[in-house]
Amino acid sequence: MSSSIGTLFRVTTFGESHGAGVGVVIDGCPPMLELSPGDIQVELDRRRPGQSRIVTQRKESDTAEILSGVFDGKTLGSPICILVRNENQRSDDYSEMKEKYRPSHADFAYDQKYGTRAWPGGGRASARETVGRVAAGAIAKKILHSVGVQVVAYVKRIQNIEANISALKVTPEMVESNIVRCPDQKAAVEMITLIESVRKEGNSVGGVIECVAWGVPAGWGEPIFDKLEADLAKAMLSIPATKGFEVGSGFAGTYLTGLEHNDEFVADSAGKVTTTTNNSGGIQGGISNGMPIQFRVAFKPTATVMRDQNTVTTSHENTVLQGKGRHDPCVLPRAVPIVEAMASLVLVDHYLRQLALSNRNQNLA
Amino acid sequence: MSSSIGTLFRVTTFGESHGAGVGVVIDGCPPMLELSPGDIQVELDRRRPGQSRIVTQRKESDTAEILSGVFDGKTLGSPICILVRNENQRSDDYSEMKEKYRPSHADFAYDQKYGTRAWPGGGRASARETVGRVAAGAIAKKILHSVGVQVVAYVKRIQNIEANISALKVTPEMVESNIVRCPDQKAAVEMITLIESVRKEGNSVGGVIECVAWGVPAGWGEPIFDKLEADLAKAMLSIPATKGFEVGSGFAGTYLTGLEHNDEFVADSAGKVTTTTNNSGGIQGGISNGMPIQFRVAFKPTATVMRDQNTVTTSHENTVLQGKGRHDPCVLPRAVPIVEAMASLVLVDHYLRQLALSNRNQNLA
Amino acid sequence: MSSSIGTLFRVTTFGESHGAGVGVVIDGCPPMLELSPGDIQVELDRRRPGQSRIVTQRKESDTAEILSGVFDGKTLGSPICILVRNENQRSDDYSEMKEKYRPSHADFAYDQKYGTRAWPGGGRASARETVGRVAAGAIAKKILHSVGVQVVAYVKRIQNIEANISALKVTPEMVESNIVRCPDQKAAVEMITLIESVRKEGNSVGGVIECVAWGVPAGWGEPIFDKLEADLAKAMLSIPATKGFEVGSGFAGTYLTGLEHNDEFVADSAGKVTTTTNNSGGIQGGISNGMPIQFRVAFKPTATVMRDQNTVTTSHENTVLQGKGRHDPCVLPRAVPIVEAMASLVLVDHYLRQLALSNRNQNLA
Amino acid sequence: MSSSIGTLFRVTTFGESHGAGVGVVIDGCPPMLELSPGDIQVELDRRRPGQSRIVTQRKESDTAEILSGVFDGKTLGSPICILVRNENQRSDDYSEMKEKYRPSHADFAYDQKYGTRAWPGGGRASARETVGRVAAGAIAKKILHSVGVQVVAYVKRIQNIEANISALKVTPEMVESNIVRCPDQKAAVEMITLIESVRKEGNSVGGVIECVAWGVPAGWGEPIFDKLEADLAKAMLSIPATKGFEVGSGFAGTYLTGLEHNDEFVADSAGKVTTTTNNSGGIQGGISNGMPIQFRVAFKPTATVMRDQNTVTTSHENTVLQGKGRHDPCVLPRAVPIVEAMASLVLVDHYLRQLALSNRNQNLA
């Protein structure tokens, strides 16, 4: 299992959905950063189950305890371990899962790979694992803020209801102004109605989250294999339920010609260079070019549904799985802080990598 | 710069487009694999410039020399270094690039990051760097074949001309049967016509490549951050000119409900488990489930065009760049072997990682 | 800070001596290994302060809690997080350390590197950090046992009192038969007397620990940079207070000629190959050769002494540091399980790496 | 096989002793460093066979070709590949090695691990592999020089002939003033006589190399597992024929008490902090403290001897190996630049890692 990501800002998550708890160790966080449990809690609360009527009603306070790496309210430069104890474990909801593989879940694949599986809940494959990511992302965000970078994600589309707004006009306040985290209030109302409707049917829906990183200076990202967009793609596809990633013009850009697609450079009177369009999504050759970094992530409809489905038993016999228990009819509202967290982890890692490069001519004296 | 990828099958490319040559070191290749220069050449020839009338006419034989790691026709288990000397260097074609940044190229970003740049050709950002990837991929393919895995990519769409064929029916022979590498012969003819037309205009087009990996057993891929789809996404977005990645149902799957999208399991009389649909694209929870692995990659239209464009100088003054020289009006025909190579590198790495896990109960005696 | 070690069996420790606790995350532990808190506690108890009259009298129960990665008494293949809460924190003992750098401690270097430091106790530089290593090592030992490998370390020398016994005759029972962990009972008595004597003087002593790994089959270790002895050397020099490492004949072997030093191979009637001597220490070319792996580690005398010493303040003014509080007059008795743990971590990582190589010709079906 | 080392300054060597050549790829070298083949050649010449009458008479010019990463005489920030073609291959000298394992060589272990082996010469286990290390080290040295760090190694002892000089008085000129690379001219003469004598007997000798790194500022090195001394230990034990490593007081320091061993801090009138002794060897808690870094490495007597030895065949039958061909009766004179190279690789990597940390409060604008 690979539960770590990052080169200099190295994040390792741990924990199963129905074990003692979930958490994260962050190694490589710079010292002297002010950090309190509240800094982390605010992001965990955005991810928390039970936060609104359109998400799962599982009750978890998701209270963060900082076990290490912070002294007198500031980071030490040593590993920061954050633990969130599990609270609301109704394992009986999951008894059927011991014997039957849930369609489009990871149960079957885990059994094939490991020969074992924590069957109550999704175990390690549960979205609960993302608690650690969001906690680490909260720290990454603080570092990024200190150098003028802000990461904002929002729900762009739920099934076929799409926000009618430019990503470049979306503010964090607009995102948090409604429970579906869509900055277009009219679309938000429709999305909420849709999600409530599919929940009543025991069904689920997916959609698209868009994310913009503001203020990233030119020069972040490592050419060839750790290109900025490559690391973002990996980070996004590592989030449960994701099926696609596109940066800048994305798949739609493939319908343009080169002359239409190219981003022309222009210099202002002060010599500052920008591009007149941003089909590149702020990244060229794997390196940020100073324009906003912009990408989208596709989330499939939640695999957990409250309806009967054909499947097989762990003994490989055909059977029917009954839908019951609690579920997220749509993961996107809770996935917004996860997308922001993963983007922040990638960015802060490349920020630190670039520091090593850009400052090499200065002695450490 | 990060020019390495992989955990156990570790690939490092090197070389600029206009230096002495390009190449690759593969560390972690298992021993006793039969390997000849011809095994590598066949894949390099699929990537080679000048291979047909719809690609760049730059003349390079791209002859592979194996410098290490092979003895008596078999791999030793030691690093394999493969070198391809550069031959056709017409640096004068590029003299304008010394002073002017090409729109949607990496020139500006490299200068911002490194404070320097190999201006003749794209230097390290040139697609010529992919020679090393394709050479390494040829070896990965041989290992995969030995365990029954086959990777097949093809051109699915050029701008708005789309192949009318299921990816699951595409054979390598069909892909190689025409110069655009599209298995739908009718669409292929149209694509070729389109590419020739945009070239005459000095313009360019992009499109989508689809790839299927057959025969991957259940169990490959590492949950959480090195999910199989996450590593594939990173590998694909590390290829020059890519703007998007989607696996299985991808972005289109976000319009379905959970009940429509879920892949029901079914067991045959021998207890073999498959799914009735494959919206998961062969991967669940980051782990292969035994179904074909299927994904698509978006390629933007080539940034190099033979027309005047507005841009800035290296002194950040506005100017006009004249289009001249040789270019690929469409990179997709040559990108097919690159997609296959990168997919193979990811798969063979996860194959080796899974060996460490699946065989742990056997003593090494 | 780099708090992780290992390629496939990846260990990350966290925690400061006077924070909430210390612990470890192990990622890459194979699934289906029986594991209970007791398996870990038995090793932690060997490292625990207050275990005898010759070690520090700080009282800590060092109780291990397994937070993740284990289900129904067996490992899942997911990250195992183990937490040990800190209990006995008398920070007032350390108030002087806030303002004065202790000689031969890490205080000054940490301040220079990070610009901050957890001054109560050694913070991250405290030997308390090794709790996580020993916990992870307990798991590594269980895996190694399952493939017939046993790791045994013992105190070979305290200052100038040396055990008169061949390392190859030392059993775990002999090591645990006295509080100094020296298998030569006569020397052990002298060592204990010496340690008690230097403690009364407020002084400290060091010495040498020797370690043997039995049953390692030929073939573990990765040539060139991750040679088995290189990884062992790194692991040992990462233990606090170590100053040297030697394998096989070590420094003494440099006085021999090649003809004296070479280990001649000999085959028995069954074709089993051994060497008549073992100056190689069980490793040739970085790879185990099937003979016992044997190495020694030098530990300096404890830096903490109960006597006045000249030093500087954090404002870089000369001052005198008073010795007070509790200390280990000799770290070696408690370091024996740490050496075994670190050796086991290195060996199990190479075991898993070799599995990926040795079994490659088998399909995963 | 693990042929890579380093986190940010990442070095990968390749090549067998009797293949096409040997070389190295350096990824992560900062841009804008002046670099010519001559910079590398000067170090390769110090390692070259045939350089004097006391080393092997194998004739190799060891001419370095820079294949990539350098443009207009300066580094680009992209991977630097350096190739040295093999020239003097007298494989017949080695025909016996195809069937018989040389005592204390890697032949047997390689066969056990890989099931194959490049039997002419040592293949990958040959000291010829260190060509790549020395080439990379030459670049590392140039970077270190630019920040005021100088690395000097010398032969301290050959068998029982020891230089009578403090390491802190040794200059590069003194080291290069004789063919054995011992700065004590009187001892050097005796060493040369000894080496010539053992060569005539077909025998070999080992000894100790000492190394000092001057000018390393306080703050380099990563606590816990990548401690500076831990990474140095690994780097040294990765050099062929090494059996031990000690830093500062080393094994001898274990005979002192804490009060004798502790390095007291003292501040001068300008507030500059040093220590009155340097038993720490310039490293405390894994971090440099501003004092000279000092360590020693044990080299065993060369395994290749020109005398008959008992051994086994590849079929595991007892036999006798005849000594013939060319050999180094003592590797230490040629190992001096290798020790310097490996030390430099470790230091430059930690320098870059520290840059990322120390400069984080500066924006990249």
Side-chain angles (χ1 to χ4, degrees):
Chain A
M1 187 163 292
S2 77
S3 293
S4 298
I5 196 166
T7 295
L8 292 181
F9 192 86
R10 183 107 184 129
V11 170
T12 304
T13 71
F14 61 86
E16 283 79 39
S17 62
H18 285 69
V22 291
V24 67
V25 177
I26 301 111
D27 197 16
C29 181
M32 301 297 277
L33 180 77
E34 291 192 6
L35 188 68
S36 71
D39 291 325
I40 292 152
Q41 201 62 51
V42 65
E43 292 292 336
L44 288 183
D45 287 349
R46 297 175 72 207
R47 197 217 72 94
R48 195 166 55 79
Q51 65 181 264
S52 77
R53 68 185 189 272
I54 58 170
V55 306
T56 177
Q57 296 307 301
R58 177 168 164 164
K59 295 293 181 200
E60 293 276 1
S61 70
D62 282 356
T63 306
E65 180 186 11
I66 300 177
L67 292 174
S68 67
V70 178
F71 178 68
D72 271 353
K74 291 186 183 167
T75 58
L76 285 164
S78 57
I80 301 167
C81 183
I82 299 168
L83 174 63
V84 170
R85 296 270 177 185
N86 292 333
E87 296 167 353
N88 188 235
Q89 307 191 342
R90 288 169 30 191
S91 292
D92 14 327
D93 284 1
Y94 298 97
S95 57
E96 202 183 3
M97 292 160 55
K98 184 176 183 179
E99 312 264 308
K100 299 177 183 177
Y101 294 127
R102 292 170 299 164
S104 286
H105 272 276
D107 307 340
F108 171 73
Y110 266 64
D111 261 3
Q112 291 289 309
K113 183 176 189 72
Y114 296 108
T116 182
R117 170 176 56 103
W119 56 263
R124 187 70 181 140
S126 164
R128 188 149 184 74
E129 177 270 336
T130 61
V131 161
R133 305 181 184 216
V134 171
I139 300 173
K141 276 188 169 187
K142 286 207 75 169
I143 299 169
L144 292 173
H145 284 183
S146 76
V147 290
V149 173
Q150 186 173 41
V151 176
V152 184
Y154 72 97
V155 171
K156 182 184 178 63
R157 181 164 57 74
I158 300 287
Q159 205 184 30
N160 44 26
I161 304 174
E162 186 160 348
N164 182 18
I165 185 172
S166 159
L168 300 183
K169 297 201 171 162
V170 176
T171 65
E173 294 70 30
M174 290 162 71
V175 177
E176 294 307 302
S177 67
N178 59 61
I179 58 176
V180 77
R181 294 201 167 86
C182 172
D184 173 344
Q185 301 301 337
K186 184 165 168 297
V189 171
E190 292 177 46
M191 289 172 177
I192 293 167
T193 302
L194 172 63
I195 294 170
E196 291 191 301
S197 166
V198 297
R199 182 176 53 185
K200 279 176 197 150
E201 298 165 10
N203 207 343
S204 65
V205 283
V208 171
I209 289 177
E210 186 161 44
C211 184
V212 179
W214 296 93
V216 175
W220 293 11
E222 301 280 318
I224 312 308
F225 295 118
D226 294 355
K227 286 188 165 91
L228 197 50
E229 67 268 50
D231 276 358
L232 286 169
K234 173 170 175 155
M236 294 306 137
L237 267 294
S238 79
I239 300 174
T242 55
K243 303 303 286 180
F245 168 88
E246 57 179 15
V247 61
S249 64
F251 280 88
T254 63
Y255 291 98
L256 304 178
T257 68
L259 282 167
E260 293 163 339
H261 191 275
N262 280 357
D263 295 322
E264 292 188 335
F265 289 108
V266 62
D268 67 14
S269 56
K272 181 170 169 54
V273 173
T274 53
T275 57
T276 52
T277 50
N278 190 16
N279 286 314
S280 299
I283 309 174
Q284 291 173 330
I287 304 168
S288 60
N289 68 354
M291 298 295 290
I293 291 172
Q294 196 170 349
F295 62 86
R296 287 165 296 284
V297 187
F299 285 81
K300 68 173 185 178
T302 322
T304 302
V305 289
M306 298 297 107
R307 299 266 283 273
D308 288 0
Q309 295 178 89
N310 294 318
T311 190
V312 297
T313 66
T314 54
S315 316
H316 293 194
E317 291 172 349
N318 292 308
T319 185
V320 172
L321 179 83
Q322 295 179 299
K324 62 180 172 188
R326 300 164 295 186
H327 85 308
D328 275 291
C330 179
V331 299
L332 280 85
R334 293 177 60 202
V336 165
I338 303 172
V339 166
E340 289 179 3
M342 292 307 300
S344 299
L345 295 182
V346 169
L347 289 171
V348 83
D349 192 49
H350 279 286
Y351 160 55
L352 295 176
R353 292 171 80 169
Q354 179 62 3
L355 277 184
L357 186 65
S358 59
N359 291 310
R360 98 160 182 90
N361 290 318
Q362 304 174 19
N363 200 323
L364 291 173
Chain B
M1 186 162 292
S2 77
S3 294
S4 297
I5 197 166
T7 296
L8 292 181
F9 191 87
R10 185 108 183 129
V11 169
T12 304
T13 71
F14 61 85
E16 283 78 40
S17 62
H18 286 68
V22 290
V24 67
V25 178
I26 302 111
D27 197 16
C29 181
M32 302 296 278
L33 179 77
E34 291 192 6
L35 188 69
S36 71
D39 291 324
I40 292 152
Q41 201 62 51
V42 65
E43 292 292 335
L44 288 183
D45 287 350
R46 297 175 71 206
R47 197 217 72 95
R48 194 167 55 80
Q51 65 182 265
S52 77
R53 68 186 188 270
I54 57 170
V55 305
T56 177
Q57 296 306 301
R58 178 169 164 162
K59 294 294 181 201
E60 293 276 0
S61 70
D62 282 355
T63 306
E65 181 187 10
I66 301 177
L67 292 174
S68 66
V70 177
F71 178 67
D72 273 353
K74 292 184 182 166
T75 59
L76 285 163
S78 57
I80 301 167
C81 182
I82 299 168
L83 174 63
V84 170
R85 296 271 177 186
N86 292 333
E87 295 167 354
N88 187 237
Q89 307 191 340
R90 289 171 26 194
S91 293
D92 17 326
D93 284 0
Y94 298 97
S95 57
E96 202 183 4
M97 292 161 53
K98 184 176 182 178
E99 312 263 308
K100 299 177 183 176
Y101 294 128
R102 294 169 297 165
S104 287
H105 272 276
D107 306 340
F108 171 73
Y110 266 65
D111 260 4
Q112 291 290 310
K113 183 176 189 72
Y114 296 109
T116 182
R117 168 176 58 101
W119 56 263
R124 187 71 181 138
S126 164
R128 186 147 185 76
E129 178 270 337
T130 60
V131 161
R133 306 181 184 217
V134 170
I139 299 173
K141 276 188 170 187
K142 286 206 74 169
I143 299 169
L144 291 173
H145 284 183
S146 76
V147 290
V149 174
Q150 186 172 41
V151 177
V152 184
Y154 73 97
V155 172
K156 182 182 179 63
R157 181 164 59 73
I158 299 287
Q159 205 184 30
N160 45 25
I161 303 174
E162 185 159 347
N164 182 19
I165 184 172
S166 159
L168 300 183
K169 297 201 171 163
V170 176
T171 65
E173 294 70 30
M174 290 162 71
V175 177
E176 294 306 302
S177 67
N178 60 60
I179 58 177
V180 78
R181 293 200 168 88
C182 173
D184 173 346
Q185 300 301 336
K186 184 163 167 300
V189 170
E190 293 176 48
M191 289 172 177
I192 293 167
T193 302
L194 172 63
I195 294 170
E196 292 191 301
S197 165
V198 297
R199 182 176 53 186
K200 279 175 199 152
E201 299 164 8
N203 207 343
S204 65
V205 283
V208 171
I209 289 178
E210 185 160 47
C211 183
V212 178
W214 297 94
V216 175
W220 293 12
E222 300 279 319
I224 314 307
F225 294 118
D226 294 356
K227 287 189 164 92
L228 198 50
E229 67 268 51
D231 275 358
L232 286 169
K234 172 169 177 157
M236 295 306 137
L237 266 295
S238 80
I239 301 174
T242 54
K243 302 303 286 180
F245 168 88
E246 57 178 15
V247 61
S249 63
F251 280 88
T254 63
Y255 292 97
L256 304 179
T257 68
L259 282 167
E260 292 163 340
H261 191 275
N262 281 357
D263 295 321
E264 293 189 334
F265 289 108
V266 61
D268 68 14
S269 55
K272 182 172 170 53
V273 173
T274 55
T275 58
T276 52
T277 49
N278 188 18
N279 286 314
S280 300
I283 308 174
Q284 290 173 331
I287 305 168
S288 61
N289 68 353
M291 298 295 289
I293 291 171
Q294 196 170 350
F295 61 86
R296 286 165 296 284
V297 187
F299 286 81
K300 70 173 183 177
T302 321
T304 302
V305 290
M306 298 297 108
R307 300 265 283 274
D308 288 1
Q309 296 178 91
N310 295 317
T311 190
V312 297
T313 67
T314 54
S315 318
H316 294 193
E317 291 171 350
N318 292 308
T319 187
V320 172
L321 179 84
Q322 296 179 299
K324 63 179 174 189
R326 302 164 295 187
H327 85 308
D328 276 291
C330 179
V331 298
L332 282 84
R334 293 177 61 202
V336 165
I338 302 172
V339 166
E340 289 179 3
M342 291 308 299
S344 298
L345 294 183
V346 169
L347 288 171
V348 82
D349 192 49
H350 279 286
Y351 160 56
L352 294 177
R353 292 171 80 169
Q354 178 62 3
L355 276 183
L357 186 66
S358 60
N359 291 310
R360 100 158 181 92
N361 290 318
Q362 302 174 20
N363 201 324
L364 292 173
Chain C
M1 186 162 292
S2 78
S3 295
S4 297
I5 196 166
T7 296
L8 292 182
F9 191 85
R10 185 109 183 127
V11 169
T12 304
T13 71
F14 61 85
E16 284 78 40
S17 62
H18 286 69
V22 290
V24 67
V25 177
I26 302 112
D27 196 17
C29 181
M32 301 296 276
L33 180 77
E34 291 192 6
L35 188 69
S36 71
D39 292 324
I40 292 152
Q41 201 62 51
V42 64
E43 291 293 335
L44 288 183
D45 287 348
R46 297 175 71 208
R47 196 216 73 94
R48 195 167 53 80
Q51 64 181 266
S52 78
R53 68 184 188 271
I54 56 170
V55 305
T56 178
Q57 297 305 303
R58 177 169 163 160
K59 295 293 181 201
E60 293 276 1
S61 70
D62 281 357
T63 307
E65 180 186 11
I66 301 177
L67 292 173
S68 66
V70 178
F71 178 67
D72 273 353
K74 292 186 182 166
T75 59
L76 284 164
S78 56
I80 301 168
C81 183
I82 299 168
L83 174 63
V84 170
R85 296 271 177 185
N86 291 334
E87 295 167 354
N88 188 235
Q89 307 191 341
R90 291 174 20 198
S91 292
D92 15 328
D93 284 359
Y94 298 97
S95 56
E96 202 183 4
M97 294 160 52
K98 184 175 182 179
E99 312 265 310
K100 299 177 184 176
Y101 294 127
R102 293 169 298 166
S104 287
H105 272 277
D107 306 341
F108 172 73
Y110 266 65
D111 261 4
Q112 291 290 308
K113 184 175 188 74
Y114 297 109
T116 183
R117 168 176 58 102
W119 56 263
R124 188 68 181 140
S126 164
R128 187 147 185 77
E129 178 269 336
T130 60
V131 162
R133 304 181 185 216
V134 171
I139 299 173
K141 277 188 169 186
K142 286 207 75 168
I143 300 169
L144 291 173
H145 283 184
S146 76
V147 290
V149 174
Q150 187 173 40
V151 177
V152 184
Y154 73 97
V155 172
K156 181 183 179 64
R157 182 164 58 73
I158 300 287
Q159 205 183 31
N160 45 25
I161 303 174
E162 185 160 349
N164 183 18
I165 185 172
S166 159
L168 300 183
K169 296 201 173 162
V170 176
T171 64
E173 294 70 29
M174 291 162 70
V175 177
E176 295 306 303
S177 68
N178 59 61
I179 58 177
V180 77
R181 292 200 168 87
C182 173
D184 173 344
Q185 301 300 338
K186 183 165 168 298
V189 170
E190 294 176 45
M191 290 171 178
I192 292 167
T193 302
L194 172 64
I195 294 170
E196 292 190 302
S197 166
V198 297
R199 184 177 51 185
K200 278 174 200 154
E201 298 164 10
N203 208 343
S204 64
V205 282
V208 170
I209 289 178
E210 185 159 47
C211 184
V212 179
W214 296 94
V216 175
W220 293 12
E222 299 279 319
I224 314 307
F225 295 117
D226 294 355
K227 287 188 165 91
L228 197 51
E229 68 269 50
D231 276 358
L232 286 169
K234 172 169 178 159
M236 295 307 137
L237 267 295
S238 80
I239 300 174
T242 54
K243 302 303 286 180
F245 168 88
E246 57 179 14
V247 61
S249 63
F251 280 88
T254 63
Y255 292 98
L256 303 179
T257 67
L259 281 167
E260 292 163 339
H261 191 275
N262 279 358
D263 296 321
E264 293 189 333
F265 289 108
V266 61
D268 68 13
S269 55
K272 181 169 171 52
V273 173
T274 55
T275 58
T276 52
T277 50
N278 189 17
N279 286 314
S280 299
I283 308 174
Q284 291 173 330
I287 305 169
S288 60
N289 68 354
M291 298 296 289
I293 291 171
Q294 195 170 350
F295 61 86
R296 286 165 296 285
V297 186
F299 285 81
K300 69 171 184 179
T302 322
T304 302
V305 290
M306 299 297 108
R307 299 267 283 274
D308 288 0
Q309 296 178 91
N310 294 318
T311 190
V312 298
T313 66
T314 53
S315 317
H316 293 194
E317 291 172 349
N318 292 309
T319 187
V320 173
L321 179 83
Q322 295 179 296
K324 62 179 172 188
R326 299 164 295 186
H327 84 309
D328 275 292
C330 179
V331 299
L332 280 85
R334 292 177 60 202
V336 164
I338 303 172
V339 166
E340 288 180 3
M342 292 309 299
S344 299
L345 295 183
V346 169
L347 289 171
V348 82
D349 192 49
H350 280 286
Y351 160 55
L352 295 177
R353 291 171 81 170
Q354 178 61 3
L355 277 184
L357 186 66
S358 59
N359 290 308
R360 90 154 192 95
N361 291 318
Q362 303 173 21
N363 200 323
L364 292 173
Chain D
M1 188 163 291
S2 78
S3 294
S4 298
I5 196 165
T7 295
L8 291 182
F9 191 85
R10 184 110 183 127
V11 169
T12 304
T13 71
F14 60 86
E16 283 80 39
S17 62
H18 286 69
V22 291
V24 67
V25 178
I26 301 112
D27 197 16
C29 181
M32 301 297 276
L33 180 77
E34 291 192 6
L35 188 69
S36 72
D39 292 324
I40 292 152
Q41 201 62 50
V42 65
E43 292 292 336
L44 289 182
D45 287 349
R46 297 175 71 207
R47 197 217 72 94
R48 194 167 54 81
Q51 64 181 267
S52 78
R53 68 185 188 273
I54 57 170
V55 305
T56 178
Q57 297 306 303
R58 178 169 164 163
K59 295 293 181 202
E60 293 276 1
S61 69
D62 281 357
T63 307
E65 180 186 11
I66 300 177
L67 292 173
S68 66
V70 178
F71 177 67
D72 271 354
K74 291 186 182 164
T75 58
L76 285 164
S78 57
I80 301 167
C81 183
I82 299 168
L83 174 64
V84 170
R85 296 273 178 185
N86 293 333
E87 295 167 354
N88 187 237
Q89 307 190 341
R90 289 170 24 195
S91 293
D92 16 327
D93 283 359
Y94 298 96
S95 57
E96 201 184 5
M97 292 160 55
K98 183 176 182 179
E99 313 263 310
K100 299 177 184 177
Y101 294 128
R102 293 170 297 166
S104 286
H105 272 277
D107 306 342
F108 171 73
Y110 266 65
D111 261 4
Q112 290 290 309
K113 183 175 188 72
Y114 296 109
T116 182
R117 170 176 57 103
W119 56 263
R124 187 70 180 139
S126 165
R128 189 150 184 74
E129 177 270 337
T130 60
V131 161
R133 305 181 185 216
V134 171
I139 300 173
K141 277 188 170 187
K142 286 206 75 169
I143 300 169
L144 292 173
H145 284 183
S146 76
V147 290
V149 174
Q150 187 173 40
V151 177
V152 184
Y154 73 98
V155 171
K156 181 183 179 62
R157 182 164 57 75
I158 299 286
Q159 204 183 31
N160 44 25
I161 303 173
E162 184 159 349
N164 182 18
I165 185 171
S166 159
L168 300 183
K169 297 200 171 163
V170 176
T171 64
E173 294 69 30
M174 290 162 70
V175 177
E176 294 307 302
S177 67
N178 59 61
I179 59 176
V180 77
R181 293 201 168 86
C182 172
D184 173 346
Q185 300 301 338
K186 183 164 168 298
V189 170
E190 292 176 48
M191 289 172 177
I192 293 168
T193 303
L194 173 63
I195 294 170
E196 291 190 303
S197 165
V198 298
R199 183 176 51 187
K200 278 175 200 151
E201 298 165 10
N203 208 342
S204 65
V205 282
V208 170
I209 289 177
E210 187 160 44
C211 184
V212 178
W214 296 95
V216 175
W220 294 11
E222 301 279 320
I224 314 307
F225 294 118
D226 294 356
K227 286 188 165 92
L228 197 51
E229 68 268 50
D231 276 359
L232 286 169
K234 172 169 176 158
M236 294 307 136
L237 267 294
S238 80
I239 300 174
T242 55
K243 302 303 286 182
F245 168 89
E246 58 179 13
V247 62
S249 64
F251 281 89
T254 63
Y255 291 97
L256 304 178
T257 68
L259 282 167
E260 294 163 337
H261 192 275
N262 280 358
D263 296 321
E264 292 189 333
F265 289 108
V266 61
D268 66 15
S269 56
K272 182 171 169 54
V273 174
T274 55
T275 58
T276 53
T277 50
N278 189 17
N279 286 315
S280 300
I283 308 173
Q284 291 173 331
I287 304 169
S288 60
N289 68 354
M291 298 295 289
I293 291 171
Q294 195 170 350
F295 62 86
R296 287 164 296 285
V297 187
F299 285 81
K300 69 173 184 179
T302 322
T304 302
V305 290
M306 298 297 107
R307 298 266 283 273
D308 288 0
Q309 296 178 90
N310 294 317
T311 191
V312 297
T313 65
T314 54
S315 317
H316 295 193
E317 291 172 350
N318 292 308
T319 186
V320 172
L321 179 83
Q322 296 179 299
K324 62 180 172 188
R326 301 163 295 185
H327 86 308
D328 276 291
C330 179
V331 298
L332 281 84
R334 293 177 61 202
V336 165
I338 302 172
V339 166
E340 289 179 3
M342 291 309 299
S344 300
L345 295 183
V346 169
L347 289 171
V348 83
D349 193 49
H350 279 285
Y351 160 55
L352 295 176
R353 292 171 81 170
Q354 178 62 3
L355 277 183
L357 187 66
S358 59
N359 291 309
R360 94 155 189 96
N361 290 318
Q362 303 174 20
N363 201 324
L364 292 173

